[in-house]
Each structure stands twice: as C-alpha cells, then as structure tokens.
Amino acid sequence: MNVVPRDLMTETAVSSADFRGAMRHLTGGVSVITAGRGKDITGMTVTSVTSLAVEPPTLLVSINRDASSFPLIRRYGAFGVNILAADQLDVAERFAGKGGLKGADRFAGSQWVTAVSGVPLLVGALSAVDCEVEEIVERHSHGIVIGRVSSVRNSTRNAALAYWHGQYVAVDQDEDAARLAEVSVLARGLRGV
C-alpha cells in the first residue's frame, strides 16, 4: 500500500454541517456514560462506544472535553457504560439534557446500583459495564477514553435503543428478524424463486 505524503494530498475543507450529515447515516447503539461518586455524579447519552479488545476486555468512548462527565472521569479514573434497552428512551433523553436536567438530577426516575469503582450503573440496562480508565487521548474537541472493563452486568432483554437520522429507533431482535423473514419471502415470491 502506498501512502501519499500529507504535503502532496489535496486538502479539502469539510464543513461541520456536511460531516454531521454524513454521520447521521451511521446507526449507533445508545448508551449512557456515568461518572463520579456519591453525590458528585453526572452522565451523558452517547453513541460513541466501541469495543477495543477482548483480551483484556477493553472499550473506548469519545467524550467532548467540555462535557460535565469529562472532568469526573479524569478525577475518579472510572466510568460506567449503560447500554440502553428500547424502552429506556426516557433515560436517553434525560441524559441528553432534555428538560434542562444536569448532574445528579439526571439519575432521578430510574434505579441505579453502585459499581465497585463507585460509578452508578443502570438497573435494567441491556448491559452495564464498569470501567477503569487506562488512558485518555485528547484530540481536537474530544477525549478518547480507553477503559479496562472491571465488571459486566448483562440482562436477558434483546430489544436495543439505537440512534439514526437524528431519531431514536428500537431494534428488536425477535420482531426485526420476523420482519426480515417476511420481506425475504415476499422478495423470493416476486422473483419467482
């Protein structure tokens, strides 16, 4: 593979609006990142969680450095990743700032347990993951937070909350599989297969 030196590449400015428009096509699972301990807690809704490695279990999340969660993650060296179920839209909206709630007020209306690290984890989430910060890589407006997974709480639920084209959508394994099967049968019938 040939790599073109940066000085020989044509620089094209991409507008923020164009980039946001492109990212709206990327469907993302919805999670709430929790940070802090005791009454010094906050959290935020994100779609920027991804696994990094299985050995050791590690994930990363991209967090705006101006977000209220960022200094708490840095201070306490831990964070929670709460992967939301399809029926937890109210939690997603609360932690996205709907209604103007901030800090500990965002936790009202849901049941939480305290992880070993001290961060709150959501009861009833598809998965609730307790992470210790391994490293924070700061780039542009965000910090890429690499977290070593110290514990996982999985539920048996299978309907997830996703975000696509600026809207929350439910992804239900059973219902969506049945719909895909129907479409597949119809398509085969139309093709005469």
Side-chain angles (χ1 to χ4, degrees), residues 68-149:
S68 61
S69 299
F70 192 73
L72 293 182
I73 290 170
R74 190 182 279 294
R75 181 179 317 136
Y76 293 109
F79 61 98
V81 175
N82 303 277
I83 302 171
L84 298 185
D87 63 356
Q88 293 175 318
L89 174 61
D90 61 322
V91 177
E93 289 181 331
R94 235 183 5 257
F95 280 86
K98 186 174 181 179
L101 296 175
K102 296 182 185 273
D105 292 338
R106 291 182 173 177
F107 292 82
S110 299
Q111 186 178 357
W112 301 86
V113 295
T114 303
V116 173
S117 69
V119 299
L121 295 178
L122 179 62
V123 173
L126 290 177
S127 293
V129 183
D130 188 18
C131 298
E132 294 177 27
V133 174
E134 276 192 353
E135 184 178 0
I136 299 175
V137 180
E138 295 187 32
R139 291 291 184 273
H140 311 293
S141 59
H142 283 63
I144 301 164
V145 183
I146 300 170
R148 170 90 52 108
V149 175

Side-chain angles (χ1 to χ4, degrees), residues 149-167:
V149 175
S150 49
S151 72
V152 175
R153 297 169 54 114
N154 290 320
S155 79
T156 57
R157 304 169 75 189
N158 63 2
L161 188 62
Y163 196 73
W164 183 61
H165 273 271
Q167 296 181 27

